Every structure is written in structure tokens, then in C-alpha cells.
Amino acid sequence: MAMMETVGWQWYAAGALLLPVLGAMLAATQKGRGADTFGTLGASGALLAMLGLLATFSHAGVAAPLRATWSLMPWLPGEAGEFGLLIDGLCMILLIVAVVIGLLVVLFSAEYLSPRNREHVTEDGKGRYYFWLLMFLAAMVGLAMSPNLLQMFVFWELTTICSWALISFYNTREANAAGYKALVMTGAGGVLFVGALLLAYAFAGDFGFDALARAPREVAVAGFLMLLVAAWAKAAQVPFFTWLPDAIAAPTPISAYLHAAAMVKAGVFLMARVIHGSYIAVSALPGLGVGVAVAALVTMLIGLYFYFLQDDLNRLLAFSTITHLGYVLFGLGLGAAGVWLGFQAAMLHIMMHGFAKTLLFLVVGGVAYATGSRSISRLSGLGARMPWSSFAFGVGLMAVCGIPPLSCFWSKVLLAGAVVKLGGGVAMLLDVSLVIEATLALFWFLRVGQRVFFGEPSAAADEAVEVPRPMAAVIGALVVLCLLAPLIALPFLPPQPI
């Protein structure tokens, strides 16, 4: 029965991948509302196909993942030249985040990119914008469904190219420099990814997620460390974190997609795939997992320090992203150390953080649209002028800081439980550090929220009006998702590999 219910799932998967590509190509030929139309159709098509895939995967009751592969490189022996589709719980979590947020960003962008935007008056370029945004969406879909490291690398590099083009969209000196910096720093991580691929092929003969686990121990550790550094570069972890705050030179909806659903999430997803695929071998090296967790904690605390130095709201959110990606890698490290609850918390946090951070970025985009400013010191009293955006910012603030019952609360509680389960003096130190980070982050976000949205309206805020209804509707959808995200993600958390 399960097999019958999964017949044709490949068509849904192909639609989720190819429809945004088609939309991108059509949008590139259009201007203005024509580009909006094809951009929306491409992203909506991906969502519909993803929903079909989700229903098929969920209702079939299959314990094993859905997998289909084809030999596209027959000159490579065995399974090395296979490309295809892999649908499992890990894939569905990233797929939901990338596609749902991608569509919401497209819908928000239709009004944001306009002559009415006080921060960046936009007269043209929508076709180019939607082309790269939809290609970005397709790249994330392809990366999520990749059945091996080689195919993942192809889409990994496509996300790098798309991020460079979108960060540089405004074609200013600042934007071009930021795009080039992102390209170089994340591209350097891609070189190490290639090194790990070569080790996998040389010693295991294929590019499976468990390939390095089948190599000699020294080779496996070297390959794992190469992939870890590649993930650090992509996910803007210390010492590769400086490209992400500079990337706010992009249009704010692009910053939302970069920080919440794409690019940086590709880095942590790579580590999730490798740890899940090689769990028995990786968990036999508990020092490795603890090292990953400690490195993530260092990034979290350094990112927290930079909170207090920011005047630009988007830069503050960028450092928050760096910290929360540290949360994900922290959980993955605990999973690699044998505490599977940490791995599940990390996968949950990918979605919890995704919706909360998108909400915050798009609210800030709306504020900049209405006032022409993102400066914390120049904005105050916006609550009286933009009540809906103020409410939504408060929801996003509480969600990202882990206030119950909103999204990040659930993943942070699981993560704290995983640390307790680890046990020992190291666990106590890690838990204390998590509490310090969470407390100081909440304090600072509350202070910033009070400064920007309460008090007498500043000169920059005095003439602000609420964002247009299409933008407000997108913000409203994200408010709801900050409540529902745990219910969406929990069914897809993977059981511990045997």
C-alpha cells in the first residue's frame, strides 16, 4: 500500500526543482508587474509541488526514505556517477523552509522594489532580481534533495553564485564589495569541499554521505574536518563570519532569504547530512563532536558581543543569524558526540529560526521602506505610526529569543536537554554559556525594540505610515508560522540511526 501511495513522487520533486527555474527564465524577460507575475508563479509552483511531495511522503507511512537515482556519469564506476532524488525527514525540513520562505520573500519583494521605497527607490531591474532569487530557491531545493555529496556540491556552488549576484543587486560600491567578499570567503570553503570529495572517491569509491566513514580513520577525520570548515565558511562561523554582516548591502528581502532559508542554512545542512549518514563512525569519535560544539559556542559568544556595537538593524540581525547558526552546529556537535537529542534540536532549530528571522528582517525592510532608515539611533516612536509592524517585530523578537510558546523556545529547550544528557563538567559549562547568551540576547533585543518602537516619534519616523497590504499580509503569515513551526517540523525529526 505504501508503495502505491508513493508512485509518481518523482514528478512532485522534479516540479519543486524545475518550476522555479522556469519562472526565473520567464521573469528575466519581463519588467515591472510582468516580472512580479512570473516570479510569483515560479515560487508558487515550487510550493504546490512541495506540498504534493510532503503529502506523499507523510501519508504513505514509509519508514525508509524515498530515493531515485540515475547514472549521469557512466564513466565513473559503481554509484559514483549517480545523480537523483532523496526525500527523507532532513530533506523535508530544509525544503519547507526554503520554499515557503522563498515564496513569501517573492511576494514581499513585489511592493518592496518600487519607487515608493524611501530607502532604495527602485525603477527597474526586477527581471534580473527574480531570476537570481528563483534560481537561488531552485538551488536550495536541489541541495535539500541531493542523494550524495557530489550532487550537493553542484547546488552548493550555485547558491554561492546566486548570493553574489543578489548581494550585488544595487550595483553600488558597497554592494559590489560585499558580493565579492561573500563569493571569495564562501568559495574558499568550496575548495575544501572538493578536497573532501576527492578523499571520498579515492578511499571509498563513491560520494555517498557515508563514504568518508568507510575510509581509513585518519582519512575520515581529515575529510570530516574539511567539510566542517566548508560548512563554517558557508554558515558564517568564526573565523569566516565577516562576510555575512556586510551582505546586508543586498535588498532586505534578499537578506531575509540569505539569513533564514538559504546559503547559510546550506552549510549547517551539509554537516547534518554527513553526521546522519556516518553516525556510527562519527559517534565513535566523541571528542570530534564535542569539538564541533565548543567551536559553535565560541561563535555564539563572539556574535553576541557584536550585538552591542551595531546601529544598523540589519547588521544586528546578521550577527543574530551567526549566533543562531552556532546553535544549530552546537546541536549537531552534540549529536556527533552521541547525544541524538542534540541533532534533533539542531534540525528543529533550522525551521524555528528560519521563520522567526525572516519575520524580523521583513519587518525591518518595511521600516526602511516607510522611513528611509534602518538606524537604531535615528528611529523611535514607530509604534504609533506602524502598529502592525511593531506588533510583528515584538513577535519575531520573542520568537528568536526563545519565549514560549513561540518557535525557538522549543528547539532551545531540546538543546538544553541534550547538554544535560551529555553530562559531566563540560555539560555544566556549556549550559551556563547557553543561559548567558539567551539572557543577554533577550535583554538587548528588548532594548532595541523599545528604542525603535516606543517613545516620541523621531524625525525619521514622524512621516512613516504602515506598509502596503501585500507586505503586511506576508508579515502576518510569518507571525502565524512562528506559532505553528514546531507542529510542522516535529514529524520530520529523524530517529537515531542504528
Side-chain angles (χ1 to χ4, degrees), residues 185 228-245 291-306 318-319 321-327 329:
M185 294 187 74
L228 177 63
V229 176
W232 283 348
K234 200 79 159 180
Q237 299 292 282
V238 172
F240 307 100
F241 68 99
T242 59
W243 71 265
L244 192 60
V292 172
V294 170
L297 185 60
V298 170
T299 292
M300 291 160 60
L301 296 177
I302 290 176
L304 176 66
Y305 167 76
F306 280 101
F319 281 106
T321 296
I322 292 167
T323 297
H324 279 269
L325 292 168
Y327 269 101
L329 284 168

